Amino acid sequence: MGLKEKFKRSKVVGKVKQVHRPKKEKSNVRKDNSKRIAFFVWTLIFGMLFLATLSILLSVNTRSSLNETNRSLLAVEDDETQEQISQEQANEFLSSFIRVYMNVPKDSDARQERVSNLQEYMVFNDAFNNEKNDMYIVDGEGTRNLESFSLFNIDEDETSTIYQYKVTFTNKLETEVETGTGKNKKTETEVEEEQQTLLLNIPIVVENGLFSIPSVPYFTDVPSLAGNIEYEEESIDLEEYNGNEREDLMIFLNNFFEKYTTETTEEMSYLMEEPETLNGSFLFEDIQDVMIYQDEESYKVLMKVNFKDEISGIQQVNDVEMDISKDGSNFYVDAFKYK
């Protein structure tokens, strides 16, 4: 390359270097973040709503649990209050009331005294402070006399305790009737009476250990307590014993019951583990239907024992079960029970 060409090339390069490249200016157009902001705002709103709803649900659940706890505590307190009621004192209070309530005299003054006495047992309010309350009004000329009473049952409800007493009473009406004519005319008294047995239901309320009756007692029929209950006797999985000692066992059993009806408890302690005795209340007659079973080293005996009252001669027959062991030549009653 010649000098002239080198000069031209350097001149061109110099011009190129002198060319000024303008700097790129940053764009003034901002990115659109509105969707991102909206998403954040709505997420925040829904989050706050969720937390608020959750808080309300937790509050309701907590209040429900608290209410349930309070109800349980109140129930426990009520049970404790009921347990603190003295049944003996309640029975004493009601026994006195029953005598006043059930006996209805004929005399008007005595009936008025009955009203005053009854008011002492009733709750204090306008209804029972009023002598014209239906409970106190007794129509008719007849009388009612209490014969006997006994506590039958105690029934609980939400507001009071109801005592049920089995009461036997007699309703009686005396009427004067003229019979005959002329000189034979006379006045006789006809008596009509009927005895009844019913349940007298008496509600009571208690406050500070004191009792009152909040409503009028009422009568109901006496329910039967007898039930037709199926009952199977326990079976004995043993073979009946007919060995050499059967005769000796029969002799022991007869001697045992002779002593059982006459001897003391101390004397019976030589014959049985848990000594007991009739101590002369009955005489021993005989034993019947004896079944003897051998159970390893001991015997199980089932029998009917016939006792008799010495004066009346009335019999008392009982089923008896005994477990008998033998020590040497002597028998001993390990267990004795009536079946």
Side-chain angles (χ1 to χ4, degrees), residues 207-261:
E207 184 176 311
N208 298 326
L210 301 177
F211 304 92
S212 289
I213 300 172
S215 59
V216 180
Y218 56 93
F219 291 99
T220 56
D221 194 19
V222 180
S224 173
L225 300 181
N228 187 16
I229 302 172
E230 293 185 4
Y231 177 76
E232 295 183 2
E233 294 186 359
E234 183 180 357
S235 61
I236 299 177
D237 190 19
L238 297 171
E239 292 186 3
E240 187 173 359
Y241 175 75
N242 290 299
N244 297 330
E245 291 190 336
R246 182 179 178 88
E247 185 177 349
D248 292 338
L249 277 167
M250 294 298 297
I251 294 173
F252 169 77
L253 290 171
N254 280 277
N255 290 335
F256 173 85
F257 282 107
E258 286 285 355
K259 294 180 179 295
Y260 179 76
T261 53

Side-chain angles (χ1 to χ4, degrees), residues 170-183:
T170 301
N171 290 313
K172 188 175 182 179
L173 177 64
E174 296 181 354
T175 306
E176 292 185 352
V177 180
E178 292 185 354
T179 60
T181 58
K183 293 182 179 180

